Amino acid sequence: QVQLVESGGGLVQAGGSLRLSCAASGRTLTRYVMGWFRQAPGKEREFVARITWSAGSRNYADSVKGRFTISRDIAKSTVYLQMNSLKPEDTAVYYCNADGSGFGFRNYWGQGTQVTVSS
């Protein structure tokens, strides 16, 4: 019932910036927590950032605090991840997530967008 499409990934040098977008469609997102996860080659998918759709409360992984900012545009049903001061260890496929488990709904995932940070 929720479709997520990520965009904005690419190749940047260390210290650069990227802005990822996740466009959502389908049911209302008011009962969902929207977030970003990433998965590097050979590693498990890890949490990056999340934001509640209704209140805009944010939470970040320690590894990205102070560098990444998650936000949402309610009118556009879009969540963003502004990534600054990128490091090579940020290289991963970034996935958008809609988490409805707190309200008895399932998780939805986008297909991912590749972020590569070169040194």
Side-chain angles (χ1 to χ4, degrees), residues 11 22 28 36 57 62 70-71 75 80 91 96 99-101 107 112 117:
L11 173 64
C22 173
T28 179
W36 290 94
S57 300
D62 288 342
I70 189 171
S71 62
Y80 304 96
T91 295
C96 183
D99 181 1
S101 61
N107 277 311
V117 184

Side-chain angles (χ1 to χ4, degrees), residues 10-71:
L11 173 64
V12 297
Q13 293 187 353
S17 298
L18 281 175
R19 187 194 193 196
L20 306 183
S21 298
C22 173
S25 61
R27 70 181 300 161
T28 179
L29 300 176
T30 55
R31 301 295 180 91
Y32 285 84
V33 177
M34 303 298 296
W36 290 94
F37 290 71
R38 66 188 182 186
Q39 188 167 19
K43 296 185 177 181
E44 296 292 321
R45 189 171 298 185
E46 67 173 335
F47 163 77
V48 175
R50 63 169 63 95
I51 185 170
T52 63
W53 195 254
S54 56
S57 300
R58 305 174 220 261
N59 185 246
Y60 299 93
D62 288 342
S63 59
V64 306
K65 286 181 179 177
R67 300 189 298 120
F68 291 10
T69 302
I70 189 171
S71 62

Side-chain angles (χ1 to χ4, degrees), residues 38-41 87-94 114-118:
R38 66 188 182 186
Q39 188 167 19
K87 305 174 181 179
E89 50 263 45
D90 295 319
T91 295
V93 177
Y94 283 70
Q114 176 70 48
V115 172
T116 302
V117 184
S118 65

